[in-house]
Amino acid sequence: MVSAMVGRGTALGAALLALLAVPAQAGTAAAADLPVPDDAGLQAVLHTALSQGAPGAMVRVDDNGTVHRLSEGVADRATGRAITTTDRFRVGSVTKSFSAVVLLQLVDEGKLDLDASVNTYLPGLLPDNRITVREVMSHRSGLYDYTNDMFAQTVPGFESVRNKVFSYQDLVTLSLKHAVTNAPGAAYSYSNTNFVVAGMLIEKLTGHPVATEYQNRIFTPLNLTDTFYVHPDTAIPGTHANGYLTPDEAGGALVDSTEQTVSWAQSAGAIISSTRDLDTFFSALMSGQLMSAAQLAQMQQWTTVNSTQGYGLGLRRRDLSCGISVYGHTGTVQGYYTYAFASKDGKRSVTALANTSNNVNVLNTMARTLESAFCGKPTTAKLRSATSAATSAATSVERYEDIAPGIARD
């Protein structure tokens, strides 16, 4: 159940570019200047993830049209079907980047001001009129993350919401039962509540459901045929990888978490996609095809997360051990870990998926796909040649997931 393939793909064509009415922005780092992706290193990462409890894992690298596809393990434990890079899956918080794109397009259209109070558009929603759209999009609002309460116990929490349907207001109300964690703009504090508010802004300003805006503004123009927003339906359309949730109790049986409404997340985490479509999305985003150059620059105004990471507006920056920075988002939803990132110019992109969650070892292991995809073999990456400990320090820093981010997973 191990597979690897490298082939020549097709980049976004002229027909796609004609659909997008915003100019491209040249990146400052060309894919041609990056080391060749290390397929052996990628396969080793997948193998390690399986040894740590992931039923399956896969990674797809699009290197300016040359596509590397690697997978190992199973998509379905019941049937034993092998996982492949064409399987669809739940992308979790990668959804936040899609929501941010829609909001920044609304800024380009003159319908939204990043520095206006959220309450300007959604009167009375938030307890502090000083909380701005920018602060919500950069996780600096101080709004408490309701998922800390919802998933304090992993499996019971999940089963309690698996089939529930929440309104956006329901989720904001859960958050507001708690005091804010910091004054507006004072600190970075990751909170799903922020991108629930983002969904409310999208629907208020457009008059349409977020599903319609995602489809019309992103899915259709980029021909993302594996990408869906089906909330509150519970099934993943077509061939997909099942997700398996790890219980909190050591040795507990994995729970098949594939079918759920994801209503607890919605615009913060309910999109379904594939490795190909996420590579396409982040390549298009970083090459300037989804918004004006001015808004792409706003998206990359970084707030420090830690020594190797920054957060912009619905976009993460990760600084790798070889001195290269990559841009995208991580995603956790019950049973799935996703890493989806691209180079500065968008010409190299990688999406990696393990079909488990609540497993900090797998979470950290899958982060290493970025090193192999962008830094190449250890002998060709300047800083990676120092010590293996340096690589470990640069990549294995995750103790928290994108859901219940206040709860340590070690």
Side-chain angles (χ1 to χ4, degrees):
M1 296 187 181
V2 177
S3 67
M5 182 182 300
V6 179
R8 186 71 188 171
T10 302
L12 292 174
L16 168 61
L17 296 177
L19 288 171
L20 300 168
V22 294
Q25 175 180 333
T28 58
D33 298 331
L34 299 176
V36 174
D38 177 12
D39 285 353
L42 290 168
Q43 196 73 63
V45 170
L46 304 186
H47 186 73
T48 299
L50 264 64
S51 74
Q52 294 169 332
M58 59 182 170
V59 61
R60 181 185 188 274
V61 182
D62 188 333
D63 184 17
N64 200 25
T66 298
V67 179
H68 304 242
R69 304 175 182 88
L70 301 99
S71 58
E72 184 166 346
V74 298
D76 187 332
R77 296 178 72 221
T79 66
R81 183 178 70 80
I83 198 169
T84 77
T85 56
T86 61
D87 286 334
R88 297 165 179 169
F89 52 89
R90 299 191 184 280
V91 309
S93 287
V94 179
T95 301
K96 293 177 173 67
S97 294
F98 287 80
S99 297
V101 165
V102 175
L103 287 176
L104 289 166
Q105 289 181 353
L106 292 171
V107 174
D108 274 332
E109 294 164 13
K111 297 175 182 176
L112 180 66
D113 181 347
L114 290 174
D115 295 309
S117 168
V118 169
N119 285 351
T120 300
Y121 305 103
L122 299 167
L125 178 69
L126 301 183
D128 192 330
N129 285 329
R130 296 176 299 167
I131 297 174
T132 66
V133 176
R134 186 188 300 275
E135 289 160 352
V136 162
M137 294 177 69
S138 58
H139 294 295
R140 295 182 300 123
S141 68
L143 293 171
Y144 178 81
D145 192 328
Y146 59 88
T147 67
N148 288 326
D149 298 334
M150 196 175 280
F151 304 121
Q153 296 184 50
T154 300
V155 173
F158 166 66
E159 295 293 3
S160 72
V161 301
R162 181 197 283 260
N163 295 306
K164 278 191 176 180
V165 177
F166 296 93
S167 70
Y168 284 129
Q169 184 63 62
D170 290 337
L171 300 175
V172 172
T173 297
L174 290 173
S175 170
L176 296 182
K177 289 181 178 179
H178 295 263
V180 295
T181 58
N182 54 259
Y188 169 86
S189 181
Y190 190 94
S191 174
N192 285 283
T193 309
N194 289 311
F195 277 81
V196 169
V197 173
M200 297 178 80
L201 286 167
I202 290 169
E203 296 197 345
K204 180 64 177 291
L205 294 171
T206 66
H208 300 139
V210 292
T212 300
E213 294 303 309
Y214 292 149
Q215 189 70 51
N216 293 344
R217 293 173 177 270
I218 305 174
F219 301 172
T220 296
L222 293 180
N223 194 31
L224 305 184
T225 55
D226 292 324
T227 306
F228 306 90
Y229 185 84
V230 301
H231 172 267
D233 289 348
T234 60
I236 300 176
T239 304
H240 58 271
N242 285 15
Y244 296 95
L245 180 58
T246 307
D248 293 329
E249 301 76 23
L254 297 178
V255 174
D256 189 325
S257 52
T258 310
E259 294 203 354
Q260 59 164 307
T261 63
V262 202
S263 195
W264 61 265
Q266 300 185 54
S267 52
I271 282 177
I272 294 161
S273 193
S274 67
T275 58
R276 180 197 63 193
D277 278 9
L278 291 185
D279 281 351
T280 299
F281 170 69
F282 280 108
S283 290
L285 173 60
M286 293 309 299
S287 62
Q289 297 175 37
L290 290 173
M291 64 189 70
S292 68
Q295 299 318 318
L296 185 57
Q298 292 294 319
M299 198 177 198
Q300 297 177 73
Q301 295 293 311
W302 306 110
T303 298
T304 298
V305 174
N306 57 38
S307 63
T308 61
Q309 296 184 50
Y311 201 95
L313 303 182
L315 189 70
R316 291 189 182 277
R317 188 200 75 236
R318 295 180 73 106
D319 306 325
L320 305 182
S321 65
C322 56
I324 292 168
S325 295
V326 294
Y327 310 87
H329 216 287
T330 50
T332 301
V333 65
Q334 290 89 353
Y336 303 90
Y337 283 140
T338 303
Y339 286 84
F341 286 81
S343 58
K344 183 72 171 180
D345 62 1
K347 291 183 179 179
R348 183 177 298 180
S349 53
V350 60
T351 298
L353 180 281
N355 60 343
T356 195
S357 67
N358 195 37
N359 184 325
V360 71
N361 293 324
V362 172
L363 178 65
N364 281 296
T365 290
M366 293 304 291
R368 287 164 37 205
T369 57
L370 304 179
E371 293 280 329
S372 294
F374 291 99
C375 295
K377 294 181 179 180
T379 55
T380 64
K382 294 179 181 178
L383 296 183
R384 289 179 70 189
S385 64
T387 63
S388 59
T391 298
S392 178
T395 60
S396 298
V397 296
E398 307 296 344
R399 298 180 64 234
Y400 304 90
E401 297 180 345
D402 291 330
I403 55 175
I407 300 174
R409 300 287 168 180
D410 56 4

